[in-house]
């Protein structure tokens, strides 16, 4: 299957050589399109609506299996086959943020090894240095753990939260009682800055620094009742 796109449409060619275009756009390897109407550039045999639905399903499955985000929106703005195919929307820390805490921790570790190898200080000083290094490094270790572990995944109608410390929690999206979205104007557009998700059991905060916040915001807007969503705009 071949998938390409422009700012006005995406084009899909299947294994049988059929080619269809959908109104939509591509952006950095992601594809978003309306499920109807469809323009068949080439098709073998008589065209039916089942052909359109089958092509959308197979293209969406292809995107999931190849880590390419391909979403088709129905007339009611819902995502086609989101539940059937278990499409995932994830929020997580970029692993590039591990660089700074890793450098700090490794610097302290190798400093302690060097002092021990040179044997130029007393045992008392060395133990004091190691204790101070551990205390100084502790926040950076927690920071690194948070970057590696923290993740929020929405799949179908379920949301899974993996906290920095503690057990992973999964709950249905219907359990969300309230959402507070904080936005700010950026180049004429309302950019999401923070999302607070409330359930009867917990509160979850998603900040702008997290990867995937825009996709998660779109997911929540689709799946949570509008009366539960509060948008606060900063100027």
């Amino acid at each position: 299957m071949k998938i390409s796109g422009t700012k006005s449409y995406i084009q899909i060619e299947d294994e049988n050589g059929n080619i269809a275009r959908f109104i939509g756009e591509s952006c950095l390897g992601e594809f978003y399109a309306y499920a109807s109407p469809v323009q068949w550039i080439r098709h073998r045999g008589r065209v039916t609506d089942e052909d359109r639905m089958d092509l959308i399903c197979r293209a969406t499955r292809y995107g999931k299996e190849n880590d390419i985000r391909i979403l088709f929106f129905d007339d009611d703005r819902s995502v086609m086959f989101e539940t059937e195919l278990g499409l995932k929307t994830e929020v997580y820390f970029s692993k590039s943020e591990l660089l700074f805490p890793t450098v700090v921790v490794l610097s302290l570790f190798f400093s302690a090894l060097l002092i021990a190898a040179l044997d130029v200080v007393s045992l008392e000083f060395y133990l004091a240095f190691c204790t101070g290094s551990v205390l100084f490094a502790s926040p950076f270790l927690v920071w690194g753990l948070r970057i590696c572990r923290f993740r929020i995944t929405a799949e179908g109608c379920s949301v899974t939260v993996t906290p920095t410390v503690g057990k992973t929690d999964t709950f249905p999206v219907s359990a969300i009682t309230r959402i507070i979205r904080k936005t700010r104007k950026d180049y004429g557009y309302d950019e999401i800055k923070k999302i607070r998700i409330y359930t009867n059991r917990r509160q979850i905060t998603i900040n702008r620094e997290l990867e995937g916040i825009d996709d998660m915001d779109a997911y929540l807007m689709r799946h949570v009742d509008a009366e539960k969503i509060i948008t606060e705009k900063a100027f």
Side-chain angles (χ1 to χ4, degrees):
M1 180 167 285
K2 298 179 181 178
I3 301 175
S4 58
T6 68
K7 285 295 184 181
S8 59
Y9 68 83
I10 72 168
Q11 180 168 296
I12 302 172
E13 180 177 354
D14 67 12
E15 300 83 353
N16 299 318
N18 300 316
I19 302 176
R21 285 182 181 177
F22 296 85
I23 297 173
E25 65 176 348
S26 65
C27 178
L28 299 176
E30 298 183 344
F31 298 88
Y32 301 90
Y34 293 104
S36 63
V38 58
Q39 177 186 0
W40 290 98
I41 306 301
R42 184 171 66 214
H43 189 279
R44 296 180 180 179
R46 179 173 173 270
V47 177
T48 65
D49 191 57
E50 285 74 18
D51 295 329
R52 175 182 69 91
M53 296 293 289
D54 180 64
L55 185 64
I56 290 173
C57 183
R58 287 191 290 122
T60 306
R61 183 184 290 111
Y62 173 85
K64 177 184 178 182
E65 294 173 350
N66 292 274
D67 294 325
I68 304 172
R69 192 169 181 80
I70 302 174
L71 298 182
F72 288 87
F73 295 87
D74 209 347
D75 294 336
D76 61 357
R77 301 294 295 173
S78 62
V79 174
M80 300 284 289
F81 302 106
E82 183 174 27
T83 302
E84 294 86 344
L85 296 179
L87 302 183
K88 289 184 180 181
T89 300
E90 294 185 304
V91 174
Y92 53 90
F93 284 98
S94 171
K95 295 303 181 286
S96 62
E97 295 189 31
L98 276 173
L99 180 61
F100 182 69
T102 300
V103 169
V104 172
V105 173
L106 288 181
S107 297
L108 293 171
F109 176 74
F110 285 114
S111 296
L113 286 181
L114 181 62
I115 292 174
L118 295 176
D119 193 21
V120 293
V121 297
S122 64
L123 178 61
E124 292 77 9
F125 179 87
Y126 180 70
L127 291 176
F129 177 82
C130 289
T131 301
S133 296
V134 170
L135 293 175
F136 183 79
S138 295
F140 296 95
L141 290 171
V142 174
W143 184 8
L145 176 64
R146 186 184 183 207
I147 293 171
C148 292
R149 181 172 165 81
F150 181 83
R151 182 176 295 264
I152 301 172
T153 304
E155 184 174 359
C157 293
S158 297
V159 179
T160 300
V161 180
T162 304
T164 304
V165 179
K167 295 181 179 180
T168 297
D169 182 27
T170 300
F171 55 87
V173 71
S174 59
I176 296 175
T177 58
R178 183 169 48 123
I179 292 176
I180 298 180
R181 304 169 65 247
K182 293 191 176 183
T183 65
R184 178 172 294 174
K185 284 287 185 182
D186 187 20
Y187 296 102
Y189 295 93
D190 285 335
E191 182 182 64
I192 188 72
K193 292 295 184 182
K194 180 181 290 188
I195 304 172
R196 285 198 179 97
I197 303 171
Y198 295 86
T199 69
N200 290 329
R201 294 185 299 172
R202 67 186 308 158
Q203 173 187 327
I204 307 159
T205 300
I206 304 174
N207 294 312
R208 186 69 207 173
E209 64 193 30
L210 291 169
E211 298 285 335
I213 184 174
D214 293 312
D215 293 333
M216 184 61 72
D217 181 54
Y219 171 88
L220 294 171
M221 295 290 282
R222 294 195 305 268
H223 288 270
V224 179
D225 294 337
E227 59 267 21
K228 296 181 180 179
I229 301 175
I230 301 170
T231 300
E232 300 177 351
K233 297 184 179 182
F235 298 96

